[in-house]
Amino acid sequence: MTPAERLLLTAKRCEIDDLEHLTAACDIVGDVSRFVHALQKERGASNVYLASQGQRFAERRHERIDECMATEQALRVRLDALGDTAGRPATTARLLRRIAYVWHALDGLEALRSDIEALQTSPDDATQAFNQLVSALLSVVFEVADTAGDPEVTLALVAIFHLMQGKELAGQERACGAYGFTSGGFDDAHCQLLLHLIDAQQRCFDTCLEFTTEEGRQHWQREMPSRTLAGIQQLREMACGITALPKSASPLGETWYELTTLRIDAIQRVEAFLIGELSNLCLAKTLDARRSLTHHDDLRRELSDASPAVCQQLVELFDGSATHELGEVTARVVGSSLNRSLVELMRAQAGRLEALSDELENTRRALRERKLIERAKGLIMAHQQITEEQAYAFLRKMAMDQSKSMAEIAQTVLGLADILQPLPGEKKRDHATG
């Protein structure tokens, strides 16, 4: 084996190591997906239970808790294993920090369930607690997508992340609607929240479908239940005041819960399909890299293909001009139709790689900007004691007033983090006056 082949072989082994650890990180996405789905169902059942003062969904809520605990245990095992891979290529400090936050939040679930069981918390407060945990879980998926080095894997993760985020918003819509219908009506705050959730989740689904495969888009079309969607739309119109609520709206809480659950279960099946595609992609890339280790002829061929012939180098340097002092032979080689076709092929390949690189960079930029905006929202919410929707509206208004992007405004807000941190003992500001 030549020195060049040994070097390429070592590069292949490094590539396999990277892919194996990326696969381990991607496996977490599947566990997070299953746990979040179970957690979302527990949140919805808990809302009906609380809104009915414990009269409804008591038994169903316990079934959801059992399901949650099973998926939670599987996730803990996976997260604990990833924590042992510190320093590996697919494990970053940010990802490990996110996992630590998730683990801490999981430890608070038992106390939340006890408060719900004893009716010692409100539906809104319980929903907020569940939302924070789900948000921490989704941030793990975000970090996996943000740190993946393979372009195809990154695009698949971006699609999955947006689908999971959209499904979480759909779950929050289910919880909000379950509370409103079960309690007999919607006030302005819950009506506005419902409208925001409907709009935000659709944007997430549109982004997912933009980045996923054609097979993924077709699977989405097949899974969406048209009759269920029509029933949900009817109830949405009642909740938002477009059509009148019946005098006794309380039984609609269970109808709403069942219909929205059917829709979320359908989204979960699409999510599982995309995660399956991701697993197959990682496996195929790993197997392909491993196969090349035992085929030395492939290594030689790869080395030969990667090194452009002399005539191709001359074409790049001199653009095919025969007027340079290259001699008649070189001029004939450069001008031949065969060489021209090879050059055009190389340029076409380079163009495709550049386009893919641009698309990947745009995706990474969008992820970075989303992260800035989320951090800025959290800072504003903590300082002003306002809701997430109000914080987002605040950022958006600042961006419009100053003719800047949301990301630029978010960066400015984060630059003032030390000033905006609430002082110890500072009283919370009243929502109405803040």
Side-chain angles (χ1 to χ4, degrees):
M1 184 181 293
T2 68
E5 289 170 355
R6 283 198 300 272
L7 285 169
L8 186 57
L9 196 62
T10 302
K12 291 286 184 183
R13 292 193 180 107
C14 290
E15 181 184 354
I16 290 169
D17 196 43
D18 287 351
L19 284 168
E20 286 177 343
H21 290 97
L22 177 59
T23 300
C26 289
D27 286 341
I28 288 182
V29 175
D31 288 310
V32 168
S33 168
R34 287 181 283 275
F35 178 54
V36 166
H37 188 60
L39 204 60
Q40 288 166 336
K41 288 194 284 188
E42 182 185 345
R43 177 179 56 195
S46 296
N47 261 52
V48 175
Y49 175 81
L50 288 170
S52 65
Q53 291 296 303
Q55 298 301 306
R56 296 181 181 176
F57 274 33
E59 184 177 348
R60 183 174 302 192
R61 175 176 164 269
H62 284 289
E63 292 172 357
R64 298 307 183 214
I65 291 174
D66 291 341
E67 183 181 347
C68 255
M69 292 177 71
T71 54
E72 178 188 345
Q73 183 57 35
L75 178 63
R76 282 183 183 269
V77 171
R78 185 85 70 180
L79 294 181
D80 194 35
L82 190 69
D84 293 335
T85 66
R88 294 293 192 172
T91 308
T92 67
R94 292 202 315 269
L95 179 57
L96 292 174
R97 189 174 292 111
R98 294 290 188 186
I99 290 172
Y101 294 155
V102 165
W103 202 283
H104 179 72
L106 288 175
D107 291 340
L109 257 181
E110 185 177 351
L112 173 62
R113 286 167 176 156
S114 296
D115 287 344
I116 293 171
E117 180 74 24
L119 301 176
Q120 291 179 351
T121 185
S122 69
D124 283 342
D125 288 342
T127 296
Q128 184 63 21
F130 280 115
N131 292 357
Q132 289 173 352
L133 175 55
V134 173
S135 177
L137 289 160
L138 291 181
S139 71
V140 171
V141 180
F142 178 90
E143 290 299 343
V144 174
D146 198 33
T147 56
D150 185 278
E152 288 183 271
V153 173
T154 298
L155 291 176
L157 282 165
V158 168
I160 291 168
F161 171 74
H162 281 90
L163 183 62
M164 292 180 72
Q165 193 175 41
K167 184 164 75 69
E168 164 56 9
L169 294 168
Q172 291 183 27
E173 182 193 6
R174 173 174 60 188
C176 178
Y179 166 60
F181 283 116
T182 303
S183 60
F186 293 81
D187 56 24
D188 288 342
H190 286 87
C191 182
Q192 289 301 315
L193 174 59
L194 208 58
L195 289 170
H196 169 75
L197 291 170
I198 293 168
D199 179 60
Q201 65 187 275
Q202 189 57 52
R203 290 200 302 272
C204 288
F205 295 143
D206 289 344
T207 304
C208 167
L209 295 175
E210 180 182 348
F211 283 102
T212 194
T213 61
E214 180 59 32
E215 291 79 6
R217 284 187 283 271
Q218 291 175 1
H219 200 74
W220 171 271
Q221 293 296 332
R222 288 194 298 269
E223 286 292 348
M224 286 304 102
S226 55
R227 292 183 63 183
T228 299
L229 295 179
I232 291 172
Q233 183 58 32
Q234 263 189 312
L235 292 174
R236 279 175 172 175
E237 291 175 0
M238 291 182 190
C240 298
I242 299 172
T243 58
L245 270 171
K247 290 184 178 179
S248 178
S250 182
L252 290 178
E254 293 188 30
T255 304
W256 167 266
Y257 182 88
E258 297 299 338
L259 289 175
T260 50
T261 297
L262 286 173
R263 176 178 178 245
I264 292 172
D265 285 346
I267 299 170
Q268 172 66 13
R269 290 192 291 273
V270 178
E271 201 172 287
F273 177 84
L274 297 189
I275 291 171
E277 280 193 324
L278 173 64
S279 297
N280 291 337
L281 177 63
C282 290
L283 178 61
K285 285 181 175 291
T286 305
L287 290 176
D288 187 55
R290 284 191 172 281
R291 197 178 298 115
S292 66
L293 292 178
T294 57
H295 292 76
H296 292 178
D297 288 342
D298 291 343
L299 293 176
R300 298 187 189 100
R301 192 179 304 112
E302 184 173 341
L303 284 169
S304 299
D305 293 343
S307 301
V310 174
C311 62
Q312 292 170 336
Q313 290 174 335
L314 291 173
V315 167
E316 294 298 325
L317 286 171
F318 300 107
D319 196 28
S321 173
T323 61
H324 295 279
E325 298 176 3
L326 305 176
E328 291 184 1
V329 175
T330 304
R332 284 198 300 272
V333 171
V334 171
S336 70
S337 58
L338 174 61
N339 189 59
R340 280 294 177 188
S341 64
L342 291 173
V343 171
E344 291 304 319
L345 177 60
M346 289 177 63
R347 286 175 174 167
Q349 289 173 335
R352 285 194 292 271
L353 287 173
E354 185 178 358
L356 180 60
S357 177
D358 289 344
E359 184 178 5
L360 179 57
E361 180 54 33
N362 289 337
T363 301
R364 289 190 183 279
R365 187 183 302 111
L367 287 169
R368 288 194 297 269
E369 290 180 354
R370 182 185 292 272
K371 185 166 13 178
L372 282 174
I373 293 169
E374 290 300 316
R375 288 173 57 200
K377 279 198 306 185
L379 187 61
I380 294 170
M381 289 165 63
H383 182 261
Q384 298 290 335
Q385 291 298 312
I386 58 177
T387 66
E388 182 179 0
E389 293 73 29
Q390 290 170 324
Y392 182 83
F394 177 78
L395 283 172
R396 184 171 55 188
K397 186 176 185 304
M398 285 182 65
M400 292 174 63
D401 290 346
Q402 299 182 31
S403 297
K404 293 182 178 180
S405 68
M406 291 275 286
E408 289 175 311
I409 295 298
Q411 185 65 67
T412 301
V413 170
L414 292 173
L416 301 173
D418 292 339
I419 300 174
L420 294 178
Q421 289 294 343
L423 297 173
E426 181 181 357
K427 292 182 178 180
K428 294 185 178 181
R429 298 176 62 181
D430 186 0
H431 290 189
T433 60

